[in-house]
């Protein structure tokens, strides 16, 4: 019998982060997957990041995770999104070399001390007296563990659909996990079905690029990891290309809609609202005459192209027709068909904030098993499950990030409080305090937590500390340095199209002017009462400018956070019985009893729990002497 502290089932993005975190924190860790050649596979689009997702990647990095480093080393195009909008919604995205991304993550796992990689299918989780103690593989091998993390992705009862044909698979080409799915149902877990899909892959050599618009990445690039040195990216950068569906495409889809498993009623699972299939786009938005498609290269040494925007489960013959109807792809050859996949997920309201299940002690869930979609959402959950499984083994308090600290906190709190009926995707709009939770300041928010947790190494901590000291020093200088309304000063301001001074101001006050930045202030600094030097460009300068220019808005959100914390500090007793409490409706009692919120704040976020019910609970807590 094998003996480990922690085992992880699955080596997708959640499993990789979970296993690395557990091993790096000193626990003997086993990661089990069906095929060791698929560690860290990018099963759908070959990209990391995106709106709000880029925030998650940087938060993972600040806490000591691996995803940001992996994409920085293997990206073939970097882009910053929403750069013309406010800082809260700016985000990063990078195209990955699909093969190199997987190979580097495999190398990291295989060479991590304390981590064993095993190709094995887990059929059963072994539980005694409500506490996990091991797992059993399909070969009847028993592994004893103290904690177990399930990160099975789309493999639980996975069913692939192409037209009216379907077959069991975890993804195209991989076996599903059926015995483990049956185990969860037998144990009484609340199991549902979800659906996701992917696009047909196209042979690059059969695309007519002369008819398409190229989209190039940023130059210079912005890396994801706070610890990646600035400079050119490690790999050559490739452009994407843009094309569109048209009325001919739409007619082909409408003519075959009865052969779509989703519209024919064959698929039971609920699909992602914010990543619809191309047939869903055509049927739901009949007024749209075209839909954008990004032709994304899958790597430097492959001809496969990912046509982002035409995810489909239509019959293969129809897929060929619709691809050939699109400009630039009239002679394109499909290398792999698009398909839909249904899979089991488990209601995340059955989880604690640590991602440990309420039903079984020491059992943690991370990723799509919790109803989420996306590599980044999965990786974030995996990291937190890895940290908290270690803390569980050591009888320590779990690490829980709240909604004011991180998008990770928003993600997990949404899942365990509200649950989800469709694949959950993170957006900046889900965060109440998104101006505080910017992508650029993820290190300022979370590096200290990552250091305390034990995942942030000495070099990363030293680099962060130096950056923090530079920011504080410069902010200090800006606040204390005064500039008088001299002729020389006003002449320089005129060059910047900035109004002249009629009184003495600090450099900080001047920086609030929209037309001024640190680089321009550096030219004024020698003319100040006490001449000084300033940060002129780079990440540090950007952070300083943002803090100064948005100071009023930031202060307002910090005040909102204080009110949020007031309710979060009002803790509700564990396993509290809400039945018979005067003033609560049956619906409210049922929801509170199901979720067992940890605080009055969490209770207030449960759908259907009214302000009046919160007032009743507050009065009851006062009677108990808890507030």
């Amino acid at each position: 019998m094998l003996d480990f502290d922690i085992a992880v089932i699955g080596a997708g993005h959640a499993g990789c982060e979970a296993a690395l975190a557990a091993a790096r924190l000193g626990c003997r860790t086993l990661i089990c997957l069906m095929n060791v050649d698929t560690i860290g596979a990018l099963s759908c689009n070959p990209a990391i990041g995106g709106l709000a997702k880029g925030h998650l990647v940087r938060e993972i990095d600040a806490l000591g995770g691996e995803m940001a480093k992996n994409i920085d080393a293997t990206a073939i195009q970097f882009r910053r999104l929403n750069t013309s909008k406010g800082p809260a919604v700016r985000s990063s995205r990078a195209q990955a070399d699909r093969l190199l991304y997987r190979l580097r993550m495999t190398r990291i796992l295989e060479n991590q001390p304390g981590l064993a990689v095993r190709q094995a299918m887990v059929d059963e989780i072994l539980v005694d007296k409500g506490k996990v103690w091991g797992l059993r593989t399909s070969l009847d091998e028993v592994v004893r563990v103290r904690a177990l993390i399930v990160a099975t992705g789309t493999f639980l009862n996975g069913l692939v659909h192409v037209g009216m044909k379907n077959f069991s698979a975890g993804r195209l080409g991989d076996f599903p996990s059926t015995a483990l799915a049956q185990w969860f149902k037998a144990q009484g877990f609340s199991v549902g079905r979800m659906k996701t899909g992917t696009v047909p892959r196209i042979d690059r050599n059969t695309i007519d690029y002369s008819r398409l618009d190229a989209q190039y990445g940023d130059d210079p690039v912005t890396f994801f990891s706070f610890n990646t040195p600035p400079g050119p990216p490690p790999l050559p950068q490739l452009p994407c290309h843009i094309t569109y569906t048209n009325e001919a495409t739409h007619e082909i889809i409408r003519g075959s809609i009865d052969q779509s498993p989703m519209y024919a009623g064959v698929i039971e699972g609920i699909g992602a609202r914010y990543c619809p299939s191309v047939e869903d786009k055509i049927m739901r938005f009949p007024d749209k005459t075209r839909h954008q498609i990004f032709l994304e290269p899958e790597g430097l040494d492959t001809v496969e192209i990912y046509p982002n925007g035409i995810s489909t489960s239509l019959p293969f013959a129809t897929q060929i027709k619709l691809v050939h109807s699109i400009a630039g792809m009239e002679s394109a050859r499909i290398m792999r068909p698009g398909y839909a996949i249904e899979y089991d997920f488990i209601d995340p309201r059955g989880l604690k904030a640590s991602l440990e299940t309420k039903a079984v002690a020491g059992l943690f869930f991370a990723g799509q098993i919790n109803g989420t979609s996306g590599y980044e959402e999965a990786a974030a959950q995996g990291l937190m499950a890895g940290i908290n499984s270690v803390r569980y083994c050591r009888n320590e308090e779990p690490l829980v990030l709240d909604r004011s600290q991180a998008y990770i906190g928003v993600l997990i709190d949404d899942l365990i409080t509200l649950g989800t009926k469709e694949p959950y995707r993170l957006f900046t709009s889900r965060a109440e305090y998104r101006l505080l939770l910017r992508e650029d300041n993820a290190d300022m928010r979370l590096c200290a937590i990552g250091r305390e947790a034990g995942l942030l190494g000495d070099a990363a901590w030293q680099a962060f500390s130096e950056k923090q000291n530079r920011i504080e020093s410069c902010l200090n200088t800006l606040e204390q340095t005064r500039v008088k309304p001299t002729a020389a000063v006003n002449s320089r301001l005129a060059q910047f199209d900035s109004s002249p001074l009629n009184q003495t101001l600090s450099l900080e006050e001047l920086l609030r002017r929209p037309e001024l930045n640190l680089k321009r202030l550096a030219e004024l600094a020698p003319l100040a009462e006490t001449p000084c030097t300033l940060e002129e460009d780079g990440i540090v300068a950007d952070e300083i400018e943002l803090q100064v220019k948005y100071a009023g808005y930031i202060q307002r959100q910090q005040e909102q956070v204080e009110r949020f914390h007031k309710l979060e500090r009002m803790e509700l007793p564990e396993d509290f019985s809400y039945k018979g409490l005067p003033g609560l409706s049956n619906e409210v009692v049922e929801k509170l009893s199901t979720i067992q919120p940890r605080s009055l704040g969490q209770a207030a976020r449960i759908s259907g729990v009214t302000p009046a019910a919160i007032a009743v609970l507050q009065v009851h807590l006062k009677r108990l002497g808890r507030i």
Side-chain angles (χ1 to χ4, degrees), residues 180 242 279 476 487 490 519:
L180 187 60
I242 299 172
E279 51 263 42
N476 229 17
N490 284 336
K519 194 166 187 176

Side-chain angles (χ1 to χ4, degrees), residues 62-335:
L63 290 168
E66 192 63 33
M67 176 174 267
K69 298 182 183 67
N70 212 57
I71 184 59
D72 282 352
T74 59
I76 54 177
Q77 188 189 104
F78 291 87
R79 284 183 65 83
R80 290 278 287 156
L81 309 178
N82 280 349
T83 53
S84 63
K85 298 183 179 180
V89 297
R90 295 171 196 161
S91 212
S92 299
R93 186 177 188 269
Q95 291 293 127
D97 183 301
R98 186 189 297 276
L99 175 63
L100 295 181
Y101 187 96
R102 177 173 63 78
L103 291 178
R104 184 187 179 278
M105 189 63 84
T106 300
R107 187 166 64 252
I108 294 296
L109 263 68
E110 289 180 344
N111 289 281
Q112 172 60 48
L115 176 59
V117 177
R118 174 67 66 87
Q119 182 164 301
M121 182 182 290
V122 177
D123 281 356
E124 182 183 2
I125 296 170
L126 304 175
V127 177
D128 183 41
K129 298 178 181 177
K131 185 176 181 180
V132 70
W133 69 266
L135 59 87
R136 188 188 307 277
T137 73
S138 59
L139 299 178
D140 280 335
E141 183 179 36
V142 173
V143 180
R144 183 180 293 276
V145 298
R146 299 168 64 193
L148 179 64
I149 302 168
V150 182
T152 45
T154 61
F155 280 68
L156 285 181
N157 263 343
L159 185 66
V160 164
H161 297 266
V162 181
M164 293 296 101
K165 297 183 180 295
N166 57 64
F167 50 90
S168 295
R171 61 178 161 236
L172 199 63
D174 289 313
F175 293 111
S177 176
T178 53
L180 187 60
Q182 291 168 4
W183 183 88
F184 282 119
K185 289 181 180 177
Q187 296 298 310
F189 283 90
S190 180
V191 178
R193 292 287 275 177
M194 282 189 177
K195 167 258 176 188
T196 188
T198 191
V199 305
R201 296 340 193 253
I202 310 298
D203 183 341
R204 178 183 63 203
N205 296 327
T206 62
I207 297 173
D208 181 3
Y209 285 104
S210 66
R211 304 184 57 198
L212 308 179
D213 295 326
Q215 183 186 66
Y216 293 89
D218 296 338
D219 185 17
V221 306
T222 301
F223 292 111
F224 280 92
S225 176
F226 293 101
N227 300 297
T228 300
L235 297 180
Q237 301 294 284
L238 300 180
C240 297
H241 288 78
I242 299 172
T243 186
Y244 300 88
T245 64
N246 51 57
E247 283 297 345
T249 314
H250 301 182
E251 277 303 312
I252 291 167
I253 292 170
R254 282 192 286 263
S256 299
I257 202 67
D258 62 332
Q259 294 298 302
S260 165
M262 184 167 58
Y263 281 86
V266 176
I267 291 179
E268 299 174 1
I270 299 171
R273 178 187 314 210
Y274 304 104
C275 189
S277 64
V278 68
E279 51 263 42
D280 215 17
K281 291 178 188 178
I282 304 311
M283 301 307 292
R284 285 171 54 191
F285 307 106
D287 56 315
K288 293 277 188 181
T289 57
R290 67 177 191 174
H291 295 274
Q292 194 171 58
I293 303 167
F294 291 92
L295 300 182
E296 301 172 343
E298 298 223 343
L300 299 173
D301 298 314
T302 178
V303 298
E304 282 192 86
I305 296 293
Y306 185 95
N308 196 337
I310 55 168
S311 173
T312 183
S313 58
L314 287 166
F316 187 57
T318 305
Q319 293 185 33
I320 294 172
K321 290 178 184 177
L322 78 86
V323 165
H324 286 171
S325 71
I326 296 168
M329 294 202 289
E330 291 86 350
S331 300
R333 183 166 62 246
I334 295 177
M335 298 179 69

Side-chain angles (χ1 to χ4, degrees), residues 62-63 442-454 456 461 464:
L63 290 168
D443 57 340
M444 310 294 285
R445 293 183 279 116
L446 299 175
C447 273
I449 296 173
R451 179 67 169 177
E452 187 276 333
L456 207 66
W461 178 249
F464 164 71

Side-chain angles (χ1 to χ4, degrees), residues 604-618:
R605 293 189 294 275
I606 298 172
S607 176
V609 176
T610 63
I614 296 301
V616 169
L617 293 176
Q618 197 164 0

Side-chain angles (χ1 to χ4, degrees), residues 396-416:
E396 297 174 353
E397 286 295 311
L399 174 60
V400 176
L401 301 173
D402 69 39
R403 302 181 71 89
S404 70
Q405 291 176 296
Y407 273 91
I408 295 175
V410 174
L411 163 67
I412 294 175
D413 185 67
D414 277 355
L415 291 173
I416 68 171

